[in-house]
């Protein structure tokens, strides 16, 4: 088993400012004359990054009682001396393992206390050092020709191994630099792998939170486009959903939580799920929005958080609908032989979360026999047009959609073209989330 390391009074760290150090049996730690003595070590921390102005520091752990093992004079790549510290056991090693140590040279002959020395004991000591210094590069020192133990040490976690009788300055200094750089590379690769795994998990989670329309039995066609404002995200503060209830009514909604970070995205998902549950429970109009406001007030992190919302419930015959607006832009409707236009929005109620005891009137609108109804969030209309600070706005969006409809675009193709053109006019990615939902009815 690894040696337990008690935390007792500090033993002075011995650090050589010279290029040469020889192990000495005369004290708890040894170095050449001129080393620093009587200085309490700094608290142990992460390895100092190696740059052009940093001297490499080596911590040697060995218990050679005769002092026969010598470390030759070594220089780093810039010609500066590599500083050396020595420890005769793991207790001393922990105390000398300060923030400025870059590499550890461990003599695998260091026995595990109370047990005979064999390969298992050597590796147990190495494993303890690796646990003690997970951020440091480690070189294993083994007997001449013992490649089996050296290779096993690398497999366990050491960066490299050396033979005890080959400690010339050129080989050792190169091995130290290699071990430090390999450790840095391993840590960078591990962080990259962890980042990729987190990104994959986040993507799977966010895909699972995106809605699946429930329109079985309906003749309406559905299409949607979604672009979160957050870089590399799949989900933002905008949300939408569409379901068909047992009486044949198709209910659609689109909303926008102020902001577009992960907290806003989570709140948007909660509101969408609550809307779906309340809709299947038979609520609509003012009663549904009042309940959603209660959900928002209970779930938001701050009283300043609000959400805009647009709900549409289309009658089973598809010719008329009820419309509720809670501080949200009015949908656009396109019908054959008539220019695309916005639905009435004079009775627009306040956004959810702004006013207690607010009311949201439900307006009846005539759709006709054939139509396309587009619901959208303000991310679609708040982009710039490329002319000064002018923004697209609702009028600009209506003109754009009219032109695209005249080109014969519809469904997914229409939404794709609309979002792409808005982005191009803006001169790049839009700052806000964008969600667009399209329902079509053809006789």
């Amino acid at each position: 088993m690894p040696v337990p390391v008690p935390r007792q009074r500090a033993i002075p760290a011995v650090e050589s400012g010279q290029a040469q150090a020889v192990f000495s049996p005369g004290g708890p730690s040894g170095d050449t004359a001129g080393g620093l003595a009587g200085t309490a070590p700094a608290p142990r921390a992460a390895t100092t990054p190696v740059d052009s102005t940093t001297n490499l520091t080596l911590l040697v752990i060995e218990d050679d009682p005769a002092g026969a093992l010598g470390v030759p004079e070594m220089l780093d790549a810039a010609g500066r001396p590599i500083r050396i510290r020595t420890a005769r056991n793991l207790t001393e090693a922990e105390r000398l393992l300060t923030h400025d140590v870059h590499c550890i040279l461990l003599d695998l002959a260091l026995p595990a206390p109370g047990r005979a020395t064999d390969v298992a004991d050597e590796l147990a000591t190495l494993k303890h050092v690796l646990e003690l210094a997970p951020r440091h590069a480690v070189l294993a020192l083994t007997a001449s020709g013992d490649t089996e133990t050296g290779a096993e040490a690398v497999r366990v976690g050491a960066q490299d191994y050396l033979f005890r009788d080959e400690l010339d300055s050129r080989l050792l200094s190169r091995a130290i630099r290699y071990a430090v750089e390999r450790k840095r590379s391993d840590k960078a690769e591990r962080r990259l792998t962890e980042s990729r795994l987190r990104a994959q998990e986040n993507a799977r989670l966010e895909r699972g939170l995106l809605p699946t329309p429930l329109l079985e039995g309906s003749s309406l066609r559905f299409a949607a486009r979604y672009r979160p404002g957050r870089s590399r995200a799949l989900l933002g503060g905008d949300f939408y959903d569409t379901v068909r209830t047992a009486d044949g009514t198709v209910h659609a909604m689109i909303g926008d939580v102020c902001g577009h970070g992960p907290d806003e995205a989570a709140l948007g998902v909660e509101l969408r799920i609550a809307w779906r549950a309340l809709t299947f429970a038979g609520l609509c109009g003012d009663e549904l929005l009042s309940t959603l406001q209660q959900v928002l007030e209970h779930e938001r992190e701050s009283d300043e958080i609000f959400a805009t919302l647009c709900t549409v419930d289309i009658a089973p015959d598809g010719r008329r609908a009820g419309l509720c607006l809670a501080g949200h832009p009015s949908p656009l409707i396109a019908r054959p032989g008539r220019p695309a236009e916005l639905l009435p929005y004079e009775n627009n109620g306040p956004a959810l979360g702004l006013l207690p005891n607010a009311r949201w009137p439900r307006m009846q609108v005539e759709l006709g026999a054939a139509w396309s109804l587009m619901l959208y969030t303000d991310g679609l209309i708040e982009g710039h047009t490329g002319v000064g600070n002018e923004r697209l706005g609702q009028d600009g969006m209506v003109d754009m959609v009219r032109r695209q409809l005249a080109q014969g675009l519809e469904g997914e193709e229409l939404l794709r073209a609309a979002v792409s053109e808005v982005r191009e006019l803006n001169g790049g990615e839009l700052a806000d989330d964008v969600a667009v939902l399209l329902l079509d009815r053809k006789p």
Side-chain angles (χ1 to χ4, degrees), residues 240-274:
Y240 66 89
D241 205 351
T242 306
V243 298
R244 180 177 183 268
T245 50
D247 63 356
T249 303
V250 171
H251 305 262
M253 87 62 181
I254 195 165
D256 181 4
V257 177
C258 64
H260 50 269
D263 293 334
E264 290 77 11
L267 182 55
V269 170
E270 290 182 84
L271 291 174
R272 179 185 68 77
I273 294 173

Side-chain angles (χ1 to χ4, degrees), residues 45 107 124 129 132 153 158 164 183 206 251 286 352 361 384 397 400:
D107 185 2
V129 170
L132 185 68
R164 195 173 289 108
K183 185 66 175 181
E206 292 185 1
H251 305 262
D286 180 76
L352 303 181
H384 292 88
M397 180 206 65
M400 177 188 71

Side-chain angles (χ1 to χ4, degrees), residues 199 202-203 206-207 210 226-237 260-262 265 433:
N202 289 340
E206 292 185 1
R207 285 193 195 97
L210 289 172
Y226 195 97
R227 290 181 70 92
R230 287 186 297 142
S231 175
R232 300 181 182 179
L234 296 177
L235 201 63
H260 50 269
D433 306 324

